[in-house]
Amino acid sequence: MFVDTVDYCAKDAPRRLVESLRQTGFAVLVRHPLPSGLIEHLYHDWLTFFESGDKTPYHFDPVRQDGWFPPEVSETAKGSQLRDLKAFYHIYLWGRIPPGLRQDVLAYFGVATALASELLGWIEAALPVEVAASLSEPLSDMVLGSSNTLLRMLYYPPLSGEEAPGALRAAEHEDINLITLLPSATEPGLEVCDRQGRWHAVSYEDGALVVNVGDMLQEATQHWLPSTPHRVVNPTGEWARQPCISAPLFLHPRGDVVLSPRYTAADYLHERLCELGIK
């Protein structure tokens, strides 16, 4: 399975990015504008947050879905019987953010959302005429005024050896949203499933950015772009004794956006959160 590595600064970057997304649902972007120093600070500070202190004041709100989700209430991927081996913190611009982490979080949220919106524009420009005509509104308009875009700080604890057989850091799943931006995590482990059901490791390159299609974009484009199953496998050797941090940004449309005759964005999101067992 060929997930292309695309140079953001190259003249053909939009074409190559969309082509890789069209074929695999994924692309890897290098020389992108997200500040590496800011990402490093985020990872360092959030690792400290997850591994120390009382997080009870930030316990997730089951209605608003912001805040800290401890491992015992982590997601159970659709079709899986086992919870993922992770904890995470949901950050929305309107939500709760620990004061000491707020400045860097808001700075990263701003630049990452701007890049995600730009990449969505690349996709929009490449849509076939008939697919573009079928949209309820242009893709770039779907995110205007959206309060649903989510930055998730993910914490994968070191493996103890006592995990349930078959449990993974993140079991097979697809993302819910339009597109996801995932900077390189502190460890490898991301795998993507091809159309023959075979799993392939996504290139782990320091400073790279993984971009992938979510279910809402697949729905809106009538499957012209595929939302591809992916997972995070458990590490072995020295990696298994280390925690891992990552920070996917999920670009979401407004809740009232009509994705298809079957779904609004709000309906789709509610259905999936219920399936994941976190709402």
Side-chain angles (χ1 to χ4, degrees), residues 70-143:
E72 61 269 19
V73 295
S74 184
E75 293 174 323
T76 302
K78 183 178 178 181
S80 175
Q81 302 301 313
L82 299 170
R83 288 195 183 277
D84 289 346
L85 303 174
K86 66 189 182 190
F88 50 91
Y89 195 107
H90 275 183
I91 299 166
Y92 298 94
L93 287 180
W94 46 261
R96 294 167 295 160
I97 306 172
L101 302 173
R102 185 174 182 84
Q103 182 175 345
D104 282 351
V105 161
L106 294 182
Y108 180 73
F109 201 111
V111 294
T113 301
L115 177 57
S117 298
E118 179 187 10
L119 300 182
L120 190 67
W122 291 5
I123 293 168
E124 182 177 60
L127 292 177
V129 172
E130 63 276 13
V131 175
S134 72
L135 298 174
S136 63
E137 58 186 281
L139 293 178
S140 54
D141 288 352
M142 291 181 180
V143 297

